[in-house]
Each structure stands twice: as C-alpha cells, then as structure tokens.
Amino acid sequence: MVRSEGARQIGEAADAAPAGTARSASPPAPRHVAIIMDGNGRWAARKGLPRFEGHRRGVEAVRRAVRSAISLGIQYLTVYSFSSENWRRPPAEVTELMGLLRLFVRGDLADLHAANVRVKVIGARDDLSHDIAALLDEAEARTRGNTGLTLVVAFNYGGRQEILRAIRRIADAVAEGRLRPEEIDLPTITEALDTAGIPDPDLVIRTSGEQRLSNFLTWQTAYAEYVIEPGFWPDFDHDAFEAALAEYHRRDRRFGGLGPGAGS
C-alpha cells in the first residue's frame, strides 16, 4: 500500500518519540487529552469551499494530532469524531462522513499499527451499518496488542447515552443476582462505561471557540481542565497542541481540595 504523506509522518513521529516518553524534561505531558473537533463546516464556508472539503481537511488534522500526541508523550488521545446527534445532519453530509471514515480506516490503519498505536472505539454500535461496524471492529482487533499511544475514537457517541448503557448493564447484573444494589459504587459505574480501563481525561480541547461540552464524556470529564482554541479544527496543528498543553500546565488542579499556599 502506498502511504500518504500524513500517514508516513505518523510512523516518523512514533520513531522519534515513543508514546509515554516526553521529549523534554519539563513539564510532563497530561496522560489523557480529549478533543472536540469543531468547525469543519465553518472553516469551509469562510473559504468558499463545500462542507465536505472542511471534513476532509479535518481528517488531515486528526493525523497531525496523532503525530503531535506521540511526539509530546501523551498516552491517550480521544477524538470526538461523530456524535449520536450528528445523524440529524443532511443525509448527503452523513454519507460523506461515513465515506471519510472508511477512507481513514482503510488508508491509515496500517500506519497506525506500524506506529504501535492502539485504536479503541467508544459509542453505540447496534444501529450501525454492517460495513461500518466491521471496520471499527477491524481497527480495534488489528491494533489490540499495541503498547504506544491509545487513540480513542468516539463514534456514534453521546455521553448521556453511554451512561444509560452503563445503567442498563448494572441493572442486568442486579437482576441476575451478580451484584447487590448496595454494592454499586463509583468504580462500578466507571467500569460499566464504554471507557472502562481508560483513565479520565486530564485535558479537553475544543476548537472553533465554542464553550460547551456537547454531550462528550459527560461522566469522565468531571475534573478535566478545558482549553478553548479559537481556530477551526482543520487549522489545528502542532503549535496549537503545544499552546493548549502550556495553558493546561498553568492550571492549578485541586480536585476539590486546597492548592499549594491556600492555607488551612
């Protein structure tokens, strides 16, 4: 298979700095970064281009983000690729987005695998077409044994819907006698979510200047730091990623406690 320039550079980034290894001594990268990739359509509109071109350029930005995450020593990168609510978009646009997903998996999976990237997909799959579900299964199966960056793809995903699925799993366990109601605690819920085994995000980046969560990782982002990037997603690059991390490192994460120097 002929590798695209963006896909080739994914492998080069992995060779230059294995995931989990920061390139500089200070400060350590956040373990898990999640990105709400917003603004493809507005980017295209401002340039007088069709919305599809904005989505296509958005895929290129995903490749750049993966390379950046590897080189910066991030262990988990979650991208919000298609929400449960995105099905409400015009059918032609949804068809184009599904086509881009097929191209990304078929064109980039080998390079992600070669770069030791593990792909994990979260979101509902029961109502997906057979070929899309098969592609997602293939991406996970082929990269399951990899030990570098974990790329979490939120596809057909909604935070509230994920919590509902978790509640139903727990209710089934109670009904079958495998769990008593008084045994349900926070770890029980966490392990019933799609993200079981994945640490909560330390940092959430949202592009396009919008300041809302949009039903993304509703449970998991309770103590995440948020950085709002004013630029649209197709323009997101390594410099923007580094700037978001610099802002993250200026934050004082207290998790409900007192920070240094706060007094008694």
Side-chain angles (χ1 to χ4, degrees), residues 227-239:
V227 170
I228 305 301
E229 162 62 38
F232 296 131
W233 175 245
D235 290 328
F236 191 83
D237 57 14
H238 186 76
D239 288 343

Side-chain angles (χ1 to χ4, degrees), residues 142-214:
R142 187 168 182 182
T143 63
R144 184 169 290 122
N146 292 342
T147 58
L149 172 74
T150 296
L151 175 62
V152 184
V153 180
F155 182 82
N156 194 25
Y157 174 86
R160 289 180 172 178
Q161 291 88 336
E162 178 191 27
I163 293 171
L164 177 59
R165 288 193 297 274
I167 291 171
R168 287 173 174 167
R169 291 178 186 127
I170 293 170
D172 286 343
V174 171
E176 294 168 3
R178 294 182 284 112
L179 183 69
R180 297 197 304 269
E182 61 270 20
E183 294 175 328
I184 299 171
D185 55 13
L186 294 180
T188 303
I189 299 172
T190 298
E191 287 303 309
L193 296 170
D194 296 356
T195 53
I198 298 172
D200 289 344
D202 303 291
L203 168 65
V204 176
I205 302 169
R206 179 163 190 153
T207 58
S208 85
E210 301 290 349
Q211 301 184 45
R212 56 181 178 271
L213 192 54
S214 295

Side-chain angles (χ1 to χ4, degrees), residues 36-87:
I36 301 174
M37 307 180 296
D38 194 19
N40 291 346
R42 279 167 287 168
W43 178 92
R46 289 194 179 184
K47 295 182 178 295
L49 298 170
R51 286 179 62 85
F52 176 75
E53 182 61 18
H55 294 311
R56 190 185 72 80
R57 296 293 184 92
V59 172
E60 294 178 3
V62 172
R63 295 188 182 110
R64 291 196 299 269
V66 171
R67 297 197 300 268
S68 293
I70 292 171
S71 66
L72 293 167
I74 292 164
Q75 298 178 41
Y76 296 84
L77 175 68
T78 297
V79 293
Y80 201 8
S81 66
F82 192 86
S83 76
S84 303
E85 290 75 25
N86 285 158
W87 296 108

